[in-house]
Amino acid sequence: MFKKIFMILIAGLFLVSANAFAMMCHGAGHQHKTAQAEEAEPEAVTEATPIVAVDVGNKICPVSGDKIDEAIKATYEYEGKIYNFCCPMCIEEFKKDPDKYIKKVEEELKTKETTATESEPMQMPEGHQH
């Protein structure tokens, strides 16, 4: 009989200590998660803050070389910048090789800065029709 009581007490102590250990671990894990949540919070605020794209202000379509009519221009945002195009077809061409056309826009803007007048339109590639 004494053996049974002793075994029950040991089993009871084991369960109580296991439960206490689990509570301590859970409590520490909870604190760790809270610290992680506090660390992640500034990122969440940053992600929720909308990034405003900047209009580069090109007046010449980098694909066709045509002067852009403000009333019917097409625009496309790429890497935080808004580029202007004479038509939606030019946007599709731009998407194939953005770096090529961005260089043309940069050249236009650089020329625009150095001279007060607009530069001559670039030549239109073959097969471009409106």
Side-chain angles (χ1 to χ4, degrees):
M1 178 81 164
F2 181 74
K3 247 184 175 177
K4 286 184 182 179
I5 294 174
F6 184 72
M7 293 297 283
I8 291 173
L9 282 174
I10 291 177
L13 285 174
F14 178 76
L15 289 174
V16 169
S17 63
N19 190 24
F21 181 75
M23 293 292 278
M24 286 189 316
C25 288
H26 176 70
H30 180 68
Q31 290 171 354
H32 180 68
K33 288 179 185 176
T34 302
Q36 285 179 339
E38 289 173 1
E39 289 174 6
E41 192 171 330
E43 291 176 21
V45 171
T46 303
E47 289 176 15
T49 305
I51 297 173
V52 178
V54 177
D55 189 345
V56 297
N58 61 304
K59 304 292 182 190
I60 306 293
C61 178
V63 177
S64 69
D66 292 340
K67 187 174 179 180
I68 297 170
D69 182 352
E70 290 294 317
I72 59 170
K73 76 178 180 182
T75 60
Y76 179 69
E77 182 180 335
Y78 178 75
E79 294 184 350
K81 296 182 180 177
I82 299 172
Y83 296 93
N84 301 310
F85 298 90
C86 64
C87 66
M89 285 187 335
C90 288
I91 293 173
E92 295 306 313
E93 189 64 29
F94 175 87
K95 288 178 183 179
K96 294 177 186 176
D97 190 2
D99 292 333
K100 172 184 172 182
Y101 297 110
I102 289 171
K103 286 178 185 175
K104 290 184 179 186
V105 170
E106 289 171 350
E107 288 172 10
E108 174 202 341
L109 297 176
K110 187 176 180 180
T111 302
K112 191 175 182 181
E113 286 177 7
T114 57
T115 61
T117 60
E118 284 188 328
S119 62
E120 291 294 316
M122 296 174 268
Q123 288 194 355
M124 188 181 322
E126 289 184 35
H128 183 86
Q129 298 174 357
H130 288 263

